[in-house]
Amino acid sequence: MKPPNVDLHIDRLVLDGFEGVDRARLGAAVEAELARIFAEQGASAALRRGGARARLDGGSFEAAPDAPADALGAQIAHAVYGGLNR
């Protein structure tokens, strides 16, 4: 059975405390990591039933002050994926 398609649209990503980070690179890293996670782990049963949400709280995480955008993007993607599956 083919896994269902997931159409994820993030209109606005609010991050506090990330001044000076290359936003384009960060966004690309979030997108790439989310695609990888969904390809590997799939969507939760809740998402498959219709998981449209107006707002999602991805929670918080600790990041090194000098962490590169790629590493931050991966952390953000995992927080978003976790929030989608709650």
Side-chain angles (χ1 to χ4, degrees), residues 14-16 18 56-63 75-76 78-80 83 86:
V14 178
L15 303 170
D16 295 319
F18 291 94
L56 175 89
D57 183 350
S60 63
F61 58 87
E62 301 262 338
Q75 285 184 282
I76 293 166
H78 283 274
V80 169
R86 281 189 213 122

Side-chain angles (χ1 to χ4, degrees), residues 9-14:
H9 174 78
I10 299 174
D11 184 53
R12 192 173 100 184
L13 181 62
V14 178

Side-chain angles (χ1 to χ4, degrees), residues 25-82:
R25 189 169 168 198
L26 180 66
V30 171
E31 183 178 342
E33 183 65 8
L34 277 170
R36 188 195 69 73
I37 295 168
F38 273 105
E40 185 178 286
Q41 299 181 24
S44 69
L47 282 176
R48 289 192 304 269
R49 286 190 300 272
R53 301 194 186 172
R55 183 174 189 273
L56 175 89
D57 183 350
S60 63
F61 58 87
E62 301 262 338
D66 57 349
D70 295 342
L72 291 173
Q75 285 184 282
I76 293 166
H78 283 274
V80 169
Y81 185 80

